[in-house]
Every structure is written in C-alpha cells, then in structure tokens.
C-alpha cells in the first residue's frame, strides 16, 4: 500500500520521505500563500482559491487570512461557517466542520500522531485520526483540538482550551485539558 492510502486509512505512514505527499503539501502551501496575499476585499478571488484548497465546502462561508492547511482535500466544511484569522488545519486525517460553526482566531486542528518510541518517530512515521466538529458550534480564540476529537452539536469551547477528548452535544467546555463545565 502506498503512503497516501496508509494515511487515509488511519495506518502508520511516512509523511517526510514520500514524494507524492511532499508535493501535495507544497502545492497546498503555494495555494495558501496565494490566498494569504490577496486583499481582503477581493472576496471572489479569495473564495475561488479556497475552493481549490478545500474541494468540499458549503455555501456562505468566510475564512479569513492567514489560513493554513497541509492538504486541503481532507477538509470538509458545511454551510454558514466562519473561520477567523490565523487558523491551521493539519489535515492528514479528515477534518469535518458542520453547519453554522464559528471558529475564533488562532485555532489549531491537529490530526497527526507520532510514535512515542524515538526510533520509530525518527523514521518519519506518523498516523492520523480525524476531527469532527458538529453543527452549531462556537470555538473561542486560541483553541487547540487534538487527533480523534469530536465536538458535539450546539457546543461552546472556551478560548485557550486544549481539547484532547470528545465533548458531548449541548456542552460548554473550557480549560487545559478541556472539560465540560455546564450543559446547555
């Protein structure tokens, strides 16, 4: 099995020495560079580039620059989504954003996992676990979301939180590690 199929299937793969994956990241990096250098008022050009980066994106979206991701093809964004500036989507694994989601500035979505054993880690191996953000979620500024997390519908995640475990529907959750403090 080639490295991209290992990546997409959730197995260990070599992201650092595979020419195809390296080229895909470089292509996406160039698109993000172009996006991040377009004037904010040129919405049509910005949205056209965003649709080249993120091929599965709903209507009525706003993604402010700078915006960064690794591949783009592993990101799915619903309708009526707002992503504030300086967000990074490490989309080795699938990142699904539902409808009516608001994401604050400087948030990071990280799907990659590296081996604990340094010998394996030094070979460049990694694994990816997807992230799912369901409908009607508000994620505050500077939130970090780690591999394998699902944030349920109608949740609020407080600014500065580190979300390492899934959060159930209708919850307000904050902190490091992020924990539910109140049900809505």
């Amino acid at each position: 099995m080639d490295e991209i199929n290992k990546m997409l299937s959730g197995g260990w793969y070599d992201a650092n020495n595979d020419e195809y994956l390296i080229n895909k990241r470089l292509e996406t990096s160039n698109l993000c560079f172009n996006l991040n250098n377009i004037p904010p008022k040129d919405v049509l050009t910005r949205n056209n580039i965003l649709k080249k980066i993120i091929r599965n994106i709903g209507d009525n979206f706003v993604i402010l620059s700078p915006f960064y991701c690794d591949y783009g093809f592993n990101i799915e964004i619903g309708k009526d989504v707002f992503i504030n500036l300086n967000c990074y989507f490490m989309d080795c694994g699938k990142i699904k954003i539902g409808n009516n989601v608001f994401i604050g500035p400087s948030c990071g979505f990280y799907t990659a996992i590296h081996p604990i054993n340094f010998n394996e880690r030094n070979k460049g191996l990694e694994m990816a676990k997807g992230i799912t953000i369901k409908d009607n979620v508000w994620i505050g500024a500077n939130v970090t979301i780690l591999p394998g997390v699902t944030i349920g519908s109608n949740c609020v995640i407080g600014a500065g939180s580190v979300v390492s475990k899934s959060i159930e529907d209708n919850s307000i959750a904050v902190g490091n590690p992020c924990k539910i403090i109140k049900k809505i």
Side-chain angles (χ1 to χ4, degrees):
M1 186 183 297
D2 56 6
E3 299 307 304
I4 189 166
N5 285 316
K6 291 178 191 175
M7 179 180 88
L8 295 173
S9 69
W12 290 105
Y13 66 97
D14 184 346
N16 297 314
N17 300 299
D18 182 76
E19 189 174 332
Y20 179 80
L21 290 176
I22 291 168
N23 286 332
K24 281 295 184 194
R25 286 193 306 273
L26 288 172
E27 288 171 15
T28 303
S29 184
N30 279 339
L31 286 169
C32 288
F33 178 85
N34 292 337
L35 170 73
N36 295 332
N37 287 285
I38 294 171
K41 286 181 98 174
D42 192 352
V43 175
L44 182 61
T45 303
R46 291 179 47 73
N47 285 351
N48 286 336
I49 292 175
L50 279 162
K51 288 177 181 177
K52 288 180 184 175
I53 297 170
I54 303 167
R55 295 181 195 114
N56 193 349
I57 192 165
D59 294 330
N60 197 31
F61 64 90
V62 174
I63 299 176
L64 300 181
S65 291
F67 171 80
Y68 306 96
C69 65
D70 286 351
Y71 298 101
F73 61 76
N74 248 350
I75 301 171
E76 183 178 315
I77 295 178
K79 64 182 175 115
D80 301 314
V81 171
F82 177 84
I83 299 173
N84 214 318
L85 54 87
N86 202 38
C87 287
Y88 172 53
F89 286 46
M90 181 185 282
D91 64 317
C92 316
K94 176 75 82 181
I95 298 175
K96 280 183 79 169
I97 308 293
N99 299 318
N100 302 299
V101 173
F102 295 84
I103 298 173
S106 300
C107 290
F109 296 74
Y110 302 97
T111 64
I113 298 169
H114 300 282
I116 299 298
N117 180 289
F118 72 89
N119 290 314
E120 295 299 312
R121 188 171 55 247
N122 290 345
K123 293 177 187 175
L125 294 177
E126 63 184 54
M127 177 187 292
K129 291 189 177 185
I131 293 171
T132 300
I133 310 300
K134 294 188 178 178
D135 296 341
N136 307 307
V137 171
W138 172 23
I139 298 172
N142 295 304
V143 170
T144 298
I145 300 177
L146 297 178
V149 164
T150 295
I151 296 177
S153 296
N154 314 315
C155 286
V156 175
I157 306 298
S161 294
V162 177
V163 188
S164 59
K165 294 185 177 168
S166 294
I167 305 295
E168 62 188 60
D169 292 351
N170 305 305
S171 299
I172 297 174
V174 299
N176 180 5
C178 189
K179 294 182 181 172
I180 297 170
I181 60 165
K182 183 178 180 180
K183 296 297 285 182
I184 302 171

